[in-house]
Amino acid sequence: MTAVYSKEAFGKNTTSEISDLRLKDILQKMPREIFIRNPRKAWTSVILSILMVGLGYFGIAISPWYLLPLFWVFTGTALTGFFVLGHDCGHRSFAKRKWVNNLVGHILFLPLLYPFHSWRILHNYHHAHTNKLEHDNAWQPLKPEIYGSLGGFGQWIYRQVRGWFWWVGSIGHWALLHFDWRQFQGKERQQVKVSVLVVLAGAAIGFPALFATVGVWGVIKFWLMPWLGYHFWMSTFTIVHHTTLDVPFTAPEEWHEATAQLAGTVHCDYPRWVEFLCHDINVHVPHHIASCIPSYNLRAAHQIIKENWGDAVKERRFSLALMKEIAQECHLYDENSNYQSFKTYHAKQSIKL
């Protein structure tokens, strides 16, 4: 079935029907150099992230208590840079050799306690089913009837994560989905098992060493708070990339790959220091058009997409107003308006009663 997206689904400035667009039509507009891996740029990015994380930890070590929040934010953001480079490794856009991508990915993910292969496999599934209802495994809205069946406590948890506590959502995603290798099959199960064991071994060595050298407060100061800062950005990037009032989720039978990747992904401008430390992961539309584009080429690719399909591209700026829109409105699936708020849902339930 061919998907037909209305003008509203693509934004107010859409002037042409693009429901017959194919991914290869978009890729053909991209020059070859957009996809070429550059070892110098890749390894320079790694060195830069290591230096920035080191600077953050140095600041934590020497700063008085009242400056610690500043360095926690900085270090957590710099650690997100580790994740973004590991993200390139997962998409094989960091290095040509698979073993290099796997090794670097495991090393960069280790401080974050993320099993590399389980994340890689689940994340690739997200790319294959972006904004496909009941399939996408990243931030899709529940159908009202599913939400209604959760029970009081389940509904409360869901309301927190889809509301003003969105920033802890990735912690639940990390804990619930990435350590159970039984959900994978064959070769993938063995890969995930290795990644999980690497993380567990790292934690078994690292945490006792931290407790022995810096104590409980040191673990909180040097690991927990920066780690929570990383998850703030992990949750924020993920939900903003695919969740605004004009982003459509579609049923599997109506889902259309090219238009879902192009119009179901949001480009969001953050403060430049955040984009610098996080290697432009916010430039997300071209990454969904072709996940093999290295992070250092995303801006050039985005410009090409804008020049050709600018009416379909959604661009926002990170702000309190944007997060208020997401936290107060983008809750449950609605086939007509994309989203239904919890307030609207419960009002309807009260009328029925």
Side-chain angles (χ1 to χ4, degrees), residues 21 23 71 196 211 223 240 273 285 296 303:
L21 189 67
L23 276 182
F71 283 102
V196 171
F211 278 110
W223 179 79
V240 170
W273 67 273
V285 177
Y296 43 80
Q303 188 58 39

Side-chain angles (χ1 to χ4, degrees), residues 201-267:
I205 296 171
F207 281 114
L210 274 176
F211 278 110
T213 54
V214 295
V216 174
W217 170 237
V219 172
I220 295 172
K221 184 170 71 169
F222 286 102
W223 179 79
L224 179 61
M225 298 309 294
W227 185 76
L228 291 176
Y230 151 71
H231 272 289
F232 171 87
W233 289 118
M234 183 74 168
S235 298
T236 300
F237 287 143
T238 305
I239 195 169
V240 170
H241 283 161
H242 301 287
T243 312
T244 60
L245 286 172
D246 56 350
V247 169
F249 277 76
T250 54
E253 63 274 13
E254 297 178 347
W255 187 80
H256 183 262
E257 183 180 28
T259 43
Q261 306 291 12
L262 182 62
T265 306
V266 178
H267 170 94

Side-chain angles (χ1 to χ4, degrees), residues 55-64 68 71-72 75-76 221-223 225-226:
L55 178 62
Y57 281 123
F58 177 74
I60 292 173
I62 67 169
S63 66
L68 281 176
F71 283 102
W72 286 334
T75 308
K221 184 170 71 169
F222 286 102
W223 179 79
M225 298 309 294

Side-chain angles (χ1 to χ4, degrees), residues 38-51 85 94 279:
N38 185 316
R40 178 183 61 81
K41 290 183 178 179
W43 288 105
T44 298
S45 296
V46 172
I47 294 170
L48 175 65
S49 275
I50 291 172
L51 290 175
L85 296 176
F94 180 84
H279 305 290

Side-chain angles (χ1 to χ4, degrees), residues 109-128:
F109 272 27
L110 186 56
L112 309 173
L113 299 186
Y114 243 104
F116 174 73
H117 281 305
S118 57
W119 170 84
R120 177 182 63 81
I121 295 165
L122 291 171
H123 183 68
N124 283 334
Y125 187 87
H126 157 66
H127 272 269

Side-chain angles (χ1 to χ4, degrees), residues 92-144:
R92 310 313 193 195
S93 61
F94 180 84
K96 292 182 180 180
R97 291 179 173 84
K98 185 184 293 186
W99 73 265
V100 175
N101 286 305
N102 289 342
L103 177 61
V104 176
H106 277 88
I107 293 172
L108 291 172
F109 272 27
L110 186 56
L112 309 173
L113 299 186
Y114 243 104
F116 174 73
H117 281 305
S118 57
W119 170 84
R120 177 182 63 81
I121 295 165
L122 291 171
H123 183 68
N124 283 334
Y125 187 87
H126 157 66
H127 272 269
H129 302 278
T130 302
N131 288 31
K132 183 189 292 183
L133 200 65
E134 299 179 348
H135 285 78
D136 193 345
N137 57 16
W139 290 104
Q140 69 162 294
L142 290 180
K143 288 184 175 180

Side-chain angles (χ1 to χ4, degrees), residues 166 233 236-237 239-241 243-246 265-275 282-283 299 302 306 313-326:
W166 85 86
W233 289 118
T236 300
F237 287 143
I239 195 169
V240 170
H241 283 161
T243 312
T244 60
L245 286 172
D246 56 350
T265 306
V266 178
H267 170 94
C268 185
D269 290 318
Y270 292 81
R272 192 67 191 99
W273 67 273
V274 175
E275 297 175 357
N282 60 298
V283 187
R299 288 191 180 275
H302 183 74
K306 281 187 65 176
V313 174
K314 296 182 176 68
E315 295 187 318
R316 304 293 294 269
R317 182 170 295 278
F318 182 65
S319 64
L320 179 61
L322 173 61
M323 300 317 298
K324 183 178 180 181
E325 172 187 322
I326 294 172

